[in-house]
Amino acid sequence: MSLQFAPWVLPVILSAVTLGIYDITKKHAVNANSVMPVLFFSTLSGCAAIAVISAFNQGLGVVCALSAKELALVWLKSLLVAASWVCAYYAMRSLPISIASPVRASAPFWTFLGGLLIYHEIPSPIQTAGMLLIFAGYFAFSVIGKLEGFSIRHKGMILIFAGTLLGAVSALYDKYLLNVLNIPHTPLQFHFALDLCVILGAAWATRYAVSKIRTPFVWKWSIFATGILLVTADFLYFYALSMPDIKISIFSLIRRSGCIISFTAGSLFFRDKHLKIKAAALMLILLGVVLLTVKFKGA
């Protein structure tokens, strides 16, 4: 027997790696910093990068070419993601990265349920075993949070779970946009990034106007890096998701395995606790990813 990988595996794994590095820069950017301007400027950086690269490769006219209906559908996606990010960024500021990133990675559980109910995605026995291992690893991280004083009622935990659920809904919606409606992934990413700049800019201005408590904003190199890394991860994500016959439930599980990288950063740079227990949970996730990505073929 020989091992083969599906064609979408490489871009998904690269997206997962990029997403893991993105979590590190995001934690650095929001640490003791004002969240809304960090969100806005990182998104603006990414949007500018998309505009320049897309205009150079395809021409801005091609990239902008979506119908009014498609623009409205992309706007809805942007609202979902903006709400998810606001929750996640505020949670990331208050939680250890080795808790926040893996808990956010539990989004594939909800994506899996949605993929099963909406798209009728039935996994193979080996893929089912991989999913169970990953779910066990994610559940272990939620339990570990209690050891560090972050119960389910902690504000940071509530926010990270809210952001996670919204992210899962967004992933299901992405498959509808790319695989059902067949919206080209490059124009979708461009308009998505542009919409996010408008939404997050308006949200920042509104919060600044109504809130009396204002955390000082400090510019950090990681704000720009966060935007660029997210654009790269999203490009790989949309590219892989536009491929035929891809299962969003499996896809999301693999992509979120980037939490392995952010966990390592938490142990090296942010001095997080209970690393041995967290490492065991991560091994479950990694083994599950291997079972999801590899398929056997008779010699």
Side-chain angles (χ1 to χ4, degrees), residues 95 103 142-143 145-146 149-162:
L95 294 174
V103 169
S142 67
V143 174
K146 294 182 180 180
F150 298 102
S151 71
I152 194 66
R153 294 185 296 273
H154 186 277
K155 181 180 178 181
M157 294 295 283
I158 293 172
L159 286 172
I160 200 68
F161 277 115

Side-chain angles (χ1 to χ4, degrees), residues 71-129:
L71 289 173
L73 292 171
V74 175
W75 179 262
L76 177 57
K77 171 186 168 49
S78 302
L79 286 172
L80 279 171
V81 173
S84 175
W85 284 2
V86 169
C87 292
Y89 271 62
Y90 275 103
M92 186 69 79
R93 187 173 65 177
S94 62
L95 294 174
I97 190 173
S98 57
I99 289 290
S101 183
V103 169
R104 181 148 173 79
S106 65
F109 173 74
W110 306 104
T111 306
F112 165 72
L113 292 180
L116 186 64
L117 295 173
I118 299 172
Y119 300 114
H120 308 292
E121 297 179 352
I122 308 300
S124 68
I126 291 178
Q127 291 171 338
T128 300

Side-chain angles (χ1 to χ4, degrees), residues 99 140-151 273-274 277:
I99 289 290
F141 273 108
S142 67
V143 174
I144 293 167
K146 294 182 180 180
L147 297 176
E148 301 190 8
F150 298 102
S151 71
K273 302 175 182 178
H274 303 105
I277 305 175

Side-chain angles (χ1 to χ4, degrees), residues 203-254:
W204 177 22
T206 302
R207 178 170 175 77
Y208 185 83
V210 301
S211 178
K212 296 181 179 179
I213 303 175
R214 296 172 183 170
T215 304
F217 170 65
V218 178
W219 174 263
K220 301 179 181 181
W221 64 266
S222 51
I223 295 174
F224 176 78
T226 297
I228 301 302
L229 286 165
L230 184 60
V231 165
T232 305
D234 277 352
F235 175 82
L236 293 164
Y237 166 75
F238 288 130
Y239 170 70
L241 196 55
S242 65
M243 293 181 177
D245 301 323
I246 191 168
K247 293 182 178 180
I248 186 64
S249 53
I250 296 173
F251 179 96
S252 297
L253 283 165
I254 298 170

Side-chain angles (χ1 to χ4, degrees), residues 11-185:
V12 174
I13 290 178
L14 290 175
S15 179
V17 171
T18 308
L19 205 60
I21 302 172
Y22 157 78
D23 273 345
I24 299 170
T25 59
K26 178 171 65 177
K27 174 66 175 178
H28 181 271
V30 299
N31 199 28
N33 208 354
S34 182
V35 170
M36 291 309 300
V38 168
L39 254 173
F40 174 74
F41 285 118
S42 63
T43 305
L44 185 63
S45 300
C47 183
I50 293 173
V52 171
I53 294 172
S54 299
F56 180 78
N57 288 336
Q58 300 182 23
L60 208 53
V62 175
V63 174
C64 294
L66 289 182
S67 67
K69 179 182 178 181
E70 290 170 336
L71 289 173
L73 292 171
V74 175
W75 179 262
L76 177 57
K77 171 186 168 49
S78 302
L79 286 172
L80 279 171
V81 173
S84 175
W85 284 2
V86 169
C87 292
Y89 271 62
Y90 275 103
M92 186 69 79
R93 187 173 65 177
S94 62
L95 294 174
I97 190 173
S98 57
I99 289 290
S101 183
V103 169
R104 181 148 173 79
S106 65
F109 173 74
W110 306 104
T111 306
F112 165 72
L113 292 180
L116 186 64
L117 295 173
I118 299 172
Y119 300 114
H120 308 292
E121 297 179 352
I122 308 300
S124 68
I126 291 178
Q127 291 171 338
T128 300
M131 288 178 173
L132 291 175
L133 286 173
I134 292 175
F135 292 153
Y138 290 157
F139 176 76
F141 273 108
S142 67
V143 174
I144 293 167
K146 294 182 180 180
L147 297 176
E148 301 190 8
F150 298 102
S151 71
I152 194 66
R153 294 185 296 273
H154 186 277
K155 181 180 178 181
M157 294 295 283
I158 293 172
L159 286 172
I160 200 68
F161 277 115
T164 296
L165 186 57
L166 288 168
V169 174
S170 175
L172 293 168
Y173 189 52
D174 288 339
K175 178 164 182 176
Y176 173 72
L177 295 177
L178 290 161
N179 270 191
V180 179
L181 298 182
N182 294 314
I183 297 177
H185 63 87

